[in-house]
Structures are given as structure tokens and as C-alpha cells.
């Protein structure tokens, strides 16, 4: 019976984490930047409308509320994608560890 | 003596492996769910409908007819919007415990859409330089956020 190679497992786990998190960040970075830029532009536009007297306080409140809710949705998406990435990392690590144990005991754990 | 220690060590390892086997009946960990084909498709449909509505509305506030932007001319769109929101809310109710993020997004979207209608109902003047682009951005960002999260959940985030 061969020993479990802990060094190799740790190395495989590190490579898996880096690959998954890197891919995930690359995936949503342009999206996040684009949405934050739009939010800033909208806030600036609303400030100008208020200063020029085009909209009153009530309308400003309603339109700011829309911005706030929309930003919440964007942040929920970013958090959600982060959780999906964490989930992928956990499952990849379980796969590596169980794979190593399976090799050791002869395929008992589900992969 | 050394052999006895070695045997005990091997027994402990064997027990640990058995415990791991027992715990690992379900190997996949699920932290978030909420993918739903209907929600995904409806969000895309709502985006198309909303932008068509927005462009029509903007056209009416850039002319000299002060009445054609009245909400009464846009009732068909708001009825359709109301129906889409109602169906999204119904659908999100059954997504499961790990889908609170998607449910919250739908609740936020509903509030944004109703606020848009409220601003429209309050009346919009012609040619003020206010084309309501911030509201268009808010609606589009909110719908994009839903479809982006749905895309991320499509593979491993289906509600059971």
C-alpha cells in the first residue's frame, strides 16, 4: 500500500484554487467596472438635474432609490459569482483529496 | 514495541478513512442555487420590452406635443411589465433556501420598475434635457445583474 502524498495534494489544491478564482475574477471584472461607471455617470447626471432645477426633491429621491436598488442587484451578482467560485473551489479540493484517498484505499469515495 | 505503535497508527488511519467515507456520501457542496430557465428568459424579455418602451417614451419628450408622453398612451407596456414581474415573483418563491440572492434581486427589480412607472405617472415635460437616462441605466443594470447571476448559476446552481 503506497503512502498518501500530502505535498502533491497541497500542490494540486493550490493550482486548482488559483485557476478557479483567477478565471472567476477575470470573468466578472469587466462587468463590475462597467456597472460602477454607469452608476457614477447616473449620479452625476441626477446632481446636474437637481442643481439646474429640472427635478424636485421627491423625484430626485425616487430616482436615487432606483440607483441604489440597481447597485444592490449588481453587488448581489458579484457576491453570488464569488460564492459560486468558492463552491467550485471547495468541490475541486474535495475532488483532489477524495481522489488521493481513493487511490490509497481503492475507490471507495464518490467523486 | 515499535511495531505495536505502528499497528495502532495504521488502525487510526483506517478508522479515519472509514469516517471520511461515511461523511462523504454526498461529495458535492452546494452553497448557492437559484437558476431558473424562466427567470433567465423573462429577464431578457423584460430588457427588450423596457428598452423599446424607453426609446418610444424619449421620442415623445423630444417633440413639441406636450401630451403624447402621457402614461395613458403607454398602458399596454405597463400591463405587460406588471405581468412579467408577477410571474417572476411567483417563480422565485419556489427556488429554495439557497436562492435568497436571486429572490432579493427580483424584489429589487420589481421596486425599480414600479418606481419608473411612478415617475412616468407623475408627468414628464418636453425638451428639458432630462431624457431619464439614469432610470434606463438603473433598469438595465438591474436586469443585467439578474441575467449575469443566472449565467453563473446555470451549471451548478439549479434549484432542486
Amino acid at each position: 500500500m503506497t503512502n498518501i502524498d500530502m505535498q502533491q495534494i497541497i500542490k494540486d489544491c493550490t493550482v486548482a484554487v488559483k485557476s478557479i478564482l483567477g478565471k472567476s475574477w477575470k470573468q466578472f471584472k469587466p462587468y463590475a467596472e462597467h456597472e460602477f461607471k454607469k452608476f457614477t455617470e447616473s449620479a452625476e447626471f441626477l446632481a446636474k438635474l437637481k442643481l439646474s432645477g429640472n427635478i424636485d426633491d421627491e423625484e430626485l429621491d425616487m430616482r436615487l432609490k432606483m440607483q441604489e436598488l440597481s447597485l444592490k442587484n449588481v453587488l448581489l451578482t458579484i457576491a453570488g459569482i464569488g460564492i459560486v467560485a468558492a463552491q467550485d473551489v471547495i468541490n475541486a479540493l474535495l475532488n483532489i483529496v477524495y481522489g488521493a484517498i481513493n487511490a490509497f484505499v481503492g475507490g471507495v469515495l464518490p467523486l | 514495541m515499535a511495531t505495536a505503535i505502528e499497528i495502532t497508527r495504521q488502525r487510526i488511519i483506517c478508522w479515519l478513512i472509514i469516517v471520511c467515507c461515511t461523511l462523504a456520501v454526498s461529495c458535492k457542496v452546494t452553497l448557492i442555487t437559484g437558476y431558473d430557465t424562466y427567470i433567465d428568459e423573462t429577464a431578457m424579455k423584460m430588457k427588450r420590452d423596457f428598452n423599446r418602451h424607453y426609446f418610444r417614451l424619449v421620442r415623445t419628450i423630444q417633440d413639441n406635443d406636450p401630451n403624447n408622453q402621457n402614461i395613458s398612451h403607454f398602458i399596454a407596456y405597463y400591463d405587460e411589465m406588471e405581468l412579467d414581474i408577477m410571474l417572476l415573483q411567483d417563480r422565485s418563491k419556489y427556488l429554495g433556501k439557497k436562492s435568497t440572492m436571486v429572490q432579493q434581486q427580483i424584489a429589487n427589480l420589481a421596486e425599480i420598475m414600479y418606481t419608473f412607472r411612478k415617475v412616468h405617472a407623475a408627468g414628464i415635460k418636453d425638451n428639458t434635457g432630462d431624457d431619464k437616462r439614469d432610470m434606463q441605466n438603473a433598469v438595465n443594470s438591474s436586469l443585467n445583474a439578474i441575467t449575469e447571476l443566472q449565467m453563473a448559476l446555470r451549471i451548478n446552481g439549479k434549484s432542486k
Side-chain angles (χ1 to χ4, degrees):
Chain A
M1 195 184 275
T2 54
N3 286 330
I4 295 180
D5 185 349
M6 291 308 287
Q7 289 301 323
Q8 189 56 44
I9 293 174
I10 292 167
K11 202 174 151 193
D12 290 348
C13 289
T14 311
V15 170
V17 170
K18 271 188 186 169
S19 147
I20 293 166
L21 289 182
K23 221 185 287 171
S24 173
W25 171 241
K26 269 186 200 160
Q27 185 193 332
F28 73 73
K29 187 179 176 242
Y31 164 72
E33 283 176 348
H34 174 71
E35 291 301 336
F36 294 151
K37 187 170 172 268
K38 270 206 302 191
F39 177 74
T40 314
E41 284 168 358
S42 294
E44 198 184 336
F45 179 64
L46 283 172
K48 279 182 188 164
L49 287 177
K50 177 68 183 129
L51 285 173
S52 62
N54 262 317
I55 54 172
D56 59 18
D57 285 342
E58 194 189 352
E59 186 168 342
L60 179 68
D61 283 349
M62 284 196 283
R63 288 165 75 166
L64 280 176
K65 180 81 185 160
M66 286 177 77
Q67 294 301 318
E68 189 189 313
L69 289 165
S70 153
L71 190 62
K72 273 186 190 169
N73 265 9
V74 170
L75 295 175
L76 279 168
T77 291
I78 292 171
I81 292 174
I83 293 173
V84 170
Q87 182 180 286
D88 290 346
V89 167
I90 292 169
N91 286 324
L93 297 187
L94 286 176
N95 225 22
I96 291 167
V97 174
Y98 290 169
I101 295 174
N102 267 346
F104 186 64
V105 297
V108 181
L109 298 177
L111 290 176
Chain B
M1 191 66 181
T3 317
I5 291 171
E6 185 59 32
I7 289 167
T8 313
R9 197 168 149 251
Q10 280 180 2
R11 277 184 184 161
I12 290 170
I13 290 172
C14 282
W15 276 109
L16 279 175
I17 289 168
I18 291 165
V19 169
C20 280
C21 292
T22 315
L23 291 175
V25 173
S26 163
C27 176
K28 286 253 175 204
V29 170
T30 305
L31 301 175
I32 181 170
T33 60
Y35 177 74
D36 182 275
T37 317
Y38 189 84
I39 291 175
D40 197 11
E41 284 170 6
T42 306
M44 284 190 271
K45 174 197 173 283
M46 284 179 81
K47 188 175 173 185
R48 201 167 46 242
D49 290 351
F50 169 77
N51 284 292
R52 189 186 300 118
H53 165 69
Y54 172 78
F55 294 135
R56 282 179 185 160
L57 179 62
V58 166
R59 210 176 298 132
T60 64
I61 60 176
Q62 286 171 343
D63 62 14
N64 293 317
D65 181 346
N67 300 313
N68 61 356
Q69 61 264 44
N70 194 294
I71 195 165
S72 60
H73 301 297
F74 295 88
I75 292 299
Y77 167 73
Y78 288 112
D79 285 349
E80 184 76 16
M81 179 195 96
E82 181 110 34
L83 183 69
D84 286 335
I85 291 171
M86 197 180 82
L87 293 172
L88 278 182
Q89 286 171 331
D90 279 352
R91 197 78 185 180
S92 74
K93 274 182 204 162
Y94 306 105
L95 284 178
K97 282 180 196 165
K98 290 176 183 167
S99 306
T100 48
M101 283 188 162
V102 174
Q103 287 163 338
Q104 188 56 55
Q105 282 190 321
I106 288 169
N108 290 342
L109 174 72
E111 205 176 332
I112 289 172
M113 302 305 279
Y114 290 139
T115 307
F116 187 97
R117 185 173 64 184
K118 206 171 162 188
V119 171
H120 191 174
I124 299 175
K125 289 178 198 153
D126 271 329
N127 298 311
T128 58
D130 176 13
D131 59 5
K132 317 286 178 195
R133 75 183 79 143
D134 56 297
M135 298 205 295
Q136 186 204 20
N137 282 343
V139 173
N140 279 327
S141 291
S142 190
L143 286 163
N144 287 344
I146 292 174
T147 49
E148 284 286 329
L149 184 55
Q150 288 292 307
M151 204 192 295
L153 294 171
R154 192 172 295 159
I155 299 168
N156 291 322
K158 288 194 174 98
S159 293
K160 297 191 171 83

